[in-house]
Amino acid sequence: MLVYLRLLKESFSFAMNALRTNKLRTFLSLLGVTIGIFSIIAVLAAVDSLDRKVKADLSDLDKNTIYLMRFSFGPSEIPQWKREQFPNVTYDEFEYLKKSLNGVDKMAFNLFTRNENIKFEDQTVSQVRVTPTTNEFEGIDGIKIGQGRFFNESESNSGTPVIILGYGVAEGLFVDSNKAIGQKIRLYGQRFTVIGVTEKQGFSTFGDSRDNAVFIPMNFIRRLYGENSDLLTPAILIKPIKGVDMEAFKGEITQKLRTYRGVKVTDIDNFFINVLSGFTDLIDGIFTQLNIAGWLIAGFSLLVGGFGIANIMFVSVKERTNLIGIQKSLGAKNRFILFQFLFEAIILSVIGGIIGLLMVWGIAAIVTKLLDFEFVLSMGNIILGTGLAGFIGLISGIIPAISASKLDPVEAIRSGM
């Protein structure tokens, strides 16, 4: 054991000496490994960080939550021209399904609208995402209220002009956002009373955030615009009870809505039942493809890096042929010589890998600091990067090490004279 520890120490010394005496050659040879490890670990870390963020953003949502609307979350076999003819879901359909469906935990009616400006005295916040909805939306979407409360069933049904502000909107409107409750703000040319402020959410994976959103009773918008406005895209959100048979539940929704709409037996459904789990599966598929792309891109760099390490080792064998002959004449066995050069190749490759990991760590720190997004270099990726670098060194150094171990001591000493 001590022999191999000593061998490892000597190999490390030779590797460091190669770095010192042939800086440019070694740098250029290690560049491929460095770029390869940087590429693959950067992609894996980015995908892992995005995956973590997506799961955090969706953690408050039940994966069985259904979005019933005229649009599909994913690809559809139905031609676009036919989908564009589908009618929007209506509030009457929402009330009908709420009364007739079995296995429902909560249901909400949402309206997706364009962004608006919100004013308080001389302060204005622009491009605010307005979400008109019903009172049960809080229990489906997992909104966290930091101050005040969400609107109740009575306020929802009557369309009372009350509003819940996103954390960022409240900070933009008020000098002291803790005093937002009870204030009157202007939206759609109307006055709304602030009854709640959400907790700070930060950056959202999907390009928006509740920090820049407000929530108002859906019936207020229905009264203001009606249900046929081009500004409105309605959706019925359905959260089933735990343990429900999802296929049977979706079948019941389909049957009841087809009956209500009078859809003929020979006609296709003119609505889409989007289950949130299908959306998350789509996201997982995208992340898997990104990982594969990262491996393919990094593979070429690692291939170049492997040839670079092999080149260093062949040159190293040639430069130390005389020393190899002396070691073998003094009794060094073939495996001692083989491990000496093999360890040296692995150490050089690992050094290149560590440089690549440090580059990823630096970028992760900068991204985390500049953006409201936690870019994480996990211990698993660090171990993967280091192990991959060591494997590249092993593969690249095996042939030069074997050639060194098979040198004839007499010929080796003679060639070095």
Side-chain angles (χ1 to χ4, degrees):
M1 186 65 182
L2 290 175
V3 174
Y4 287 104
L5 289 176
R6 181 183 169 190
L7 178 60
L8 186 61
K9 180 182 177 182
E10 288 181 0
S11 299
F12 184 78
S13 298
F14 279 123
M16 291 298 99
N17 185 60
L19 283 171
R20 285 192 298 268
T21 57
N22 301 287
K23 295 182 180 64
L24 182 59
R25 185 187 72 191
T26 307
F27 169 75
L28 292 174
S29 298
L30 292 183
L31 192 60
V33 174
T34 300
I35 293 174
I37 296 299
F38 168 79
S39 300
I40 185 62
I41 300 304
V43 170
L44 292 178
V47 171
D48 287 349
S49 300
L50 280 171
D51 187 43
R52 187 181 289 107
K53 181 62 178 174
V54 168
K55 288 177 179 176
D57 289 343
L58 299 177
S59 61
D60 295 323
L61 297 175
D62 189 325
K63 286 190 175 183
N64 288 330
T65 299
I66 289 172
Y67 285 72
L68 181 61
M69 55 196 306
R70 60 177 291 198
F71 300 110
S72 173
F73 281 176
S76 172
E77 296 179 356
I78 302 173
Q80 184 176 351
W81 66 268
K82 197 169 188 65
R83 280 179 278 154
E84 290 175 350
Q85 296 176 356
F86 287 178
N88 281 321
V89 292
T90 65
Y91 187 72
D92 290 339
E93 290 172 340
F94 162 71
E95 289 193 317
Y96 165 72
L97 290 173
K98 191 174 182 179
K99 292 175 183 176
S100 62
L101 276 177
N102 298 307
V104 175
D105 182 9
K106 290 181 175 63
M107 278 184 67
F109 190 79
N110 258 32
L111 293 171
F112 297 97
T113 68
R114 68 184 183 187
N115 293 345
E116 300 287 345
N117 296 336
I118 295 182
K119 295 183 178 181
F120 172 72
E121 295 179 350
D122 59 343
Q123 298 295 319
T124 301
V125 177
S126 303
Q127 294 299 305
V128 176
R129 179 164 55 91
V130 181
T131 303
T133 187
T134 52
N135 60 292
E136 287 192 317
F137 181 73
E138 180 187 14
I140 297 176
D141 194 65
I143 298 172
K144 292 182 174 65
I145 303 295
Q147 303 173 48
R149 62 179 177 84
F150 206 76
F151 47 80
N152 56 38
E153 185 176 4
S154 174
E155 292 165 331
S156 175
N157 292 338
S158 63
T160 306
V162 292
I163 190 168
I164 292 87
L165 303 180
Y167 181 88
V169 177
E171 285 207 323
L173 291 176
F174 305 103
V175 176
D176 185 357
S177 60
N178 292 320
K179 297 181 179 179
I181 305 300
Q183 299 288 354
K184 303 284 186 180
I185 61 96
R186 292 189 69 84
L187 172 66
Y188 297 121
Q190 309 287 323
R191 289 187 179 275
F192 286 79
T193 302
V194 178
I195 62 170
V197 178
T198 66
E199 291 183 2
K200 184 177 182 180
Q201 180 191 32
F203 170 80
S204 172
T205 316
F206 306 106
D208 55 14
S209 170
R210 291 197 190 107
D211 293 346
N212 193 48
V214 297
F215 305 89
I216 61 176
M218 179 271 310
N219 276 333
F220 180 90
I221 294 293
R222 288 181 68 232
R223 193 168 64 239
L224 189 66
Y225 289 118
E227 289 192 21
N228 297 320
S229 173
D230 293 336
L231 302 175
L232 310 176
T233 303
I236 298 174
L237 277 63
I238 307 172
K239 180 181 178 181
I241 59 176
K242 291 187 180 298
V244 71
D245 185 333
M246 284 301 295
E247 292 305 315
F249 188 63
K250 289 192 293 182
E252 184 183 1
I253 295 172
T254 300
Q255 182 266 322
K256 289 187 180 298
L257 191 54
R258 284 178 64 92
T259 301
Y260 187 88
R261 288 186 171 184
V263 179
K264 296 179 181 178
V265 177
T266 54
D267 292 341
I268 62 171
D269 298 338
N270 56 0
F271 53 86
F272 286 100
I273 299 177
N274 300 295
V275 183
L276 196 60
S277 59
F279 176 69
T280 57
D281 290 343
L282 179 65
I283 295 294
D284 289 341
I286 293 172
F287 285 156
T288 300
Q289 292 175 2
L290 287 174
N291 275 328
I292 293 172
W295 278 100
L296 289 174
I297 293 169
F300 290 104
S301 296
L302 290 174
L303 185 64
V304 173
F307 283 121
I309 296 296
N311 177 63
I312 288 179
M313 298 316 301
F314 276 119
V315 172
S316 183
V317 170
K318 185 172 181 62
E319 289 177 345
R320 285 153 46 193
T321 299
N322 185 45
L323 180 59
I324 294 169
I326 293 172
Q327 287 178 326
K328 298 191 81 171
S329 66
L330 293 176
K333 297 185 179 297
N334 287 354
R335 65 180 181 183
F336 182 88
I337 302 298
L338 184 142
F339 283 130
Q340 178 179 314
F341 283 92
L342 205 54
F343 285 162
E344 184 176 339
I346 293 172
I347 290 168
L348 283 170
S349 186
V350 168
I351 289 171
I354 290 173
I355 296 171
L357 289 171
L358 289 174
M359 290 168 62
V360 176
W361 178 82
I363 289 176
I366 293 170
V367 169
T368 302
K369 187 173 182 179
L370 294 180
L371 303 176
D372 191 8
F373 175 72
E374 188 179 8
F375 193 107
V376 179
L377 178 60
S378 67
M379 182 56 66
N381 283 331
I382 292 174
I383 294 172
L384 174 63
T386 306
L388 192 58
F391 178 74
I392 294 299
L394 176 66
I395 298 300
S396 304
I398 190 69
I399 296 177
I402 291 174
S403 66
S405 68
K406 290 184 177 180
L407 285 174
D408 181 82
V410 177
E411 292 297 327
I413 294 173
R414 183 182 299 162
S415 64
M417 293 180 177

